[in-house]
Every structure is written in structure tokens, then in C-alpha cells.
Amino acid sequence: MEKEYLKKVSKIKDQTYIKGGVDTVGILFNTDIEINNIKGLNGILDRYTTITGKNEIVIVIKPSQSINGGIELTDFKETLEFIEEIKIQLGLSNGMLKRIDFAVDLKEEFESNKKLFRLLLECLNFKRNSGGMYETKKPILENRNTGNFKIMSKRNQTTIYNSSDKNRISETRYENRILDIQTAEEIKKRMLYELKKHIKELEKLEDLVPVVESYYINYLLNEYNKGIKNNFRTFTEFIAWADYEGLILTENILKELMKNIDIKIRFKIFCNKFRLLRPNTLRFTNKTEIKKTLIKLKKALKNLIKTT
């Protein structure tokens, strides 16, 4: 099975590729089974499996690991069938959903789309925090060791990361992890509920771009006023630092910074001169790109619903 998927990789790598699927599920079982009894079983992540109470264990399952070597996400039907196989193999019954990771594999290269992915997650982060906690936080930073952007709350973790170095078809993966699910509802029904809830969460997210831009403008103005005396000799040096950190997400952010700091040079002339000395810099994203990416994400996740 894995060899068939490996052939598929070379065929699809240079084509348009997008797929939504299930990455990981965590199922709570009432059983006295020990973690040592499930170590080494294909498709079970024993390092994340935990004993949560007397005769209670949350077994974390990654169906694709067994079905296709982790190359491609599994759909609902494949995931549910694999859960049943695990239950039979371990002599378990019933079970309650405690965690579900939905993901979308994208053809877009991570490195050249960092600002797009950062802005998308900033919009989602603002929506989840209703503006409150968001205003007191720092911008999302890239983890340069792992090549990802992540936002976290008690119940949700959403990550966009570089998957080009992994044994996968995609260049980039968008992953939304839902944790601490509290329900005795049937597994399939709850999976569908959580998926539809996340799709709804992505609706009209692009409308929050101006709000995020405003936050970044204020944040960078504050950093400029703090750092100009000690860390940066000129506005250009400050922008070089900010762009390296990926903080100049859009044209509007830079235009407003120039306006507020009273930089007299015209925007296009400044950008052209800046890029002459620093090639491949000041690459902007915008609301339109966010909207197009959201359409792809929602389409892939809606297609996943059809696989039940």
C-alpha cells in the first residue's frame, strides 16, 4: 500500500494538490489495559497515549500511519474503520472522542507564503479571542527550528507548517487540533460536529485583515519608538529588522508606518531602493490572498464531510 502512495507522490508534487482529512484521533476507553500492551502497534501513538484515571485510557490513533505510511491524510470512512479495527485488536468496546485533528494538505510552498499563513492565523486568533486577549499579546512568531506558525488555546491548537521535508505529497499542512472534548456522543457524530464547527469558524475570516493590520501598525510603532535610540540608526534599519521577522505583512502596514513616522519618501520609491540592497524582501500578502486560501481550506474540509 505504501509503495503505491510513494508512486503517487512524484506524480502529484508538481500539480495542484489539496486534500482535507483526519490526522489524529484520541479515544477514551474504560479498560484496565496498560500502555505497555499497545506499544509498537501500527497506527497507535503510544507516546501520546495517557492513563487518565482508574480503568481509563485515552488511546491516540494516527490511521494514515498504518494505511499509507503517513503519506496522505485519511478520510472519515477510513478513520472510523481503522478505529473499529483497533477496538477489535485490543478487545475494546464503545469509546468516546476526546481529541480530533483535522488537516488540509496544500501545494503552496511554506517558505514563500509565510506572511500569508501568519496573517491567516492572526485573523483566526483574533476571532477566537474576540479581540480581548489578542490586543495584549505579541505577534505570532515562527518556530524556526520546526518551520511552523501555531496558535493555542485551552481547547484548540491550529498550526501551519512546512511538510516538504516529510514523506508526504503536500508542501504545506494546515492542522486544527481540538482537545479536551467532553461528550458521550457517538464518535462519528461528534467528529462531524467538530468539523462543521471549524468550517464555520473560517467563514468571513478575511474581513478581520484590517483589524490585524491595525494591531501590527500599533505594535511596530511602539517597537520603533522604543528601539530607534538604541537598536536602529534609521527607519530603513528598523524596517530591515521588521521584515526579517516577518512583521511587515501587507503594504498597508508599511504605508501606515511611514505615514505615522512622517517618512517623506514615496512608498514605491522607498520599496524599490530597499529591495535594490536587499533582494527578495518586502514581499506582501493581502486580504484577497487570504480569501483565496480560505476558499481552498473550506472546500477541502467540506469534501471530507462527504466521505462519511
Side-chain angles (χ1 to χ4, degrees):
M1 180 72 75
E2 185 176 342
K3 287 181 180 179
E4 293 175 10
Y5 274 88
L6 284 170
K7 288 179 184 177
K8 197 175 180 182
V9 171
S10 58
K11 183 179 179 183
I12 296 180
K13 267 291 185 181
D14 297 325
Q15 300 176 16
T16 298
Y17 180 78
I18 180 168
K19 180 179 179 179
V22 177
D23 179 77
T24 308
V25 291
I27 310 293
L28 173 67
F29 293 102
N30 294 115
T31 176
D32 59 359
I33 194 171
E34 296 290 335
I35 292 179
N36 285 335
N37 295 337
I38 64 173
K39 278 190 174 179
L41 291 180
N42 200 9
I44 291 181
L45 304 180
D46 54 77
R47 67 185 182 277
Y48 297 118
T49 294
T50 54
I51 302 292
T52 57
K54 187 177 181 181
N55 295 333
E56 280 189 354
I57 186 171
V58 176
I59 298 179
V60 179
I61 302 166
K62 191 180 183 75
S64 65
Q65 188 181 76
S66 176
I67 294 171
N68 58 59
I71 295 169
E72 197 169 26
L73 296 163
T74 53
D75 62 29
F76 264 27
K77 185 174 182 291
E78 291 170 322
T79 301
L80 291 165
E81 286 177 352
F82 188 74
I83 292 170
E84 289 304 311
E85 287 179 22
I86 292 295
K87 286 162 68 174
I88 293 168
Q89 191 174 358
L90 297 176
L92 302 170
S93 60
N94 299 322
M96 294 182 291
L97 188 68
K98 295 295 292 181
R99 163 186 169 181
I100 180 76
D101 299 12
F102 298 114
V104 177
D105 282 335
L106 300 164
K107 71 177 180 65
E108 282 82 1
E109 185 189 38
F110 180 83
E111 288 298 320
S112 58
N113 288 283
K114 286 181 179 180
K115 290 184 178 181
L116 167 67
F117 298 141
R118 188 199 294 254
L119 182 56
L120 191 154
L121 285 187
E122 288 285 17
C123 291
L124 183 56
N125 207 24
F126 184 89
K127 190 171 188 177
R128 284 179 179 168
N129 289 292
S130 300
M133 287 175 58
Y134 183 88
E135 292 297 335
T136 63
K137 65 176 276 300
K138 290 185 177 181
I140 297 170
L141 298 177
E142 177 192 359
N143 185 326
R144 290 198 170 98
N145 293 323
T146 57
N148 70 33
F149 296 112
K150 178 185 285 188
I151 57 173
M152 300 174 65
S153 63
K154 183 179 179 181
R155 194 172 184 271
N156 292 88
Q157 293 179 11
T158 306
T159 312
I160 302 178
Y161 63 92
N162 186 353
S163 60
S164 63
D165 60 340
K166 297 177 172 59
N167 189 28
R168 291 180 188 158
I169 296 172
S170 63
E171 294 287 340
T172 300
R173 176 167 286 186
Y174 170 93
E175 193 168 296
N176 188 63
R177 177 178 300 169
I178 301 130
L179 301 163
D180 196 30
I181 298 170
Q182 302 289 338
T183 181
E185 200 170 25
E186 188 238 343
I187 292 173
K188 176 182 173 180
K189 188 175 180 181
R190 190 64 188 192
M191 284 171 62
L192 275 169
Y193 169 82
E194 295 293 351
L195 177 56
K196 289 176 181 179
K197 183 179 178 181
H198 183 54
I199 292 171
K200 187 175 180 181
E201 190 177 35
L202 297 177
E203 291 292 341
K204 301 293 183 182
L205 209 58
E206 69 274 10
D207 291 344
L208 291 172
V209 167
V211 180
V212 174
E213 285 179 324
S214 178
Y215 167 75
Y216 267 71
I217 291 162
N218 290 331
Y219 175 82
L220 287 167
L221 281 172
N222 187 48
E223 291 298 302
Y224 176 79
N225 290 328
K226 287 193 303 184
I228 193 64
K229 295 178 181 177
N230 303 315
N231 302 321
F232 311 106
R233 290 173 299 174
T234 63
F235 176 75
T236 301
E237 280 191 8
F238 173 75
I239 295 302
W241 165 80
D243 192 58
Y244 173 77
E245 293 295 334
L247 301 174
I248 312 294
L249 300 176
T250 66
E251 284 191 8
N252 192 48
I253 289 173
L254 181 54
K255 285 177 179 177
E256 289 300 311
L257 280 174
M258 293 176 69
K259 180 180 175 182
N260 279 275
I261 296 169
D262 198 26
I263 303 300
K264 301 298 184 183
I265 188 171
R266 291 174 63 185
F267 173 77
K268 286 188 176 180
I269 294 173
F270 175 84
C271 290
N272 290 336
K273 285 186 174 181
F274 189 93
R275 290 168 180 149
L276 276 175
L277 296 174
R278 304 167 186 83
N280 301 315
T281 57
L282 291 182
R283 292 179 172 181
F284 306 114
T285 189
N286 55 53
K287 182 178 178 179
T288 300
E289 288 185 352
I290 294 292
K291 186 175 182 178
K292 288 178 179 178
T293 303
L294 286 168
I295 289 170
K296 292 177 185 178
L297 292 175
K298 288 183 289 185
K299 182 179 179 181
L301 293 172
K302 286 176 182 176
N303 285 340
L304 179 58
I305 295 173
K306 299 175 185 177
T307 66
T308 57

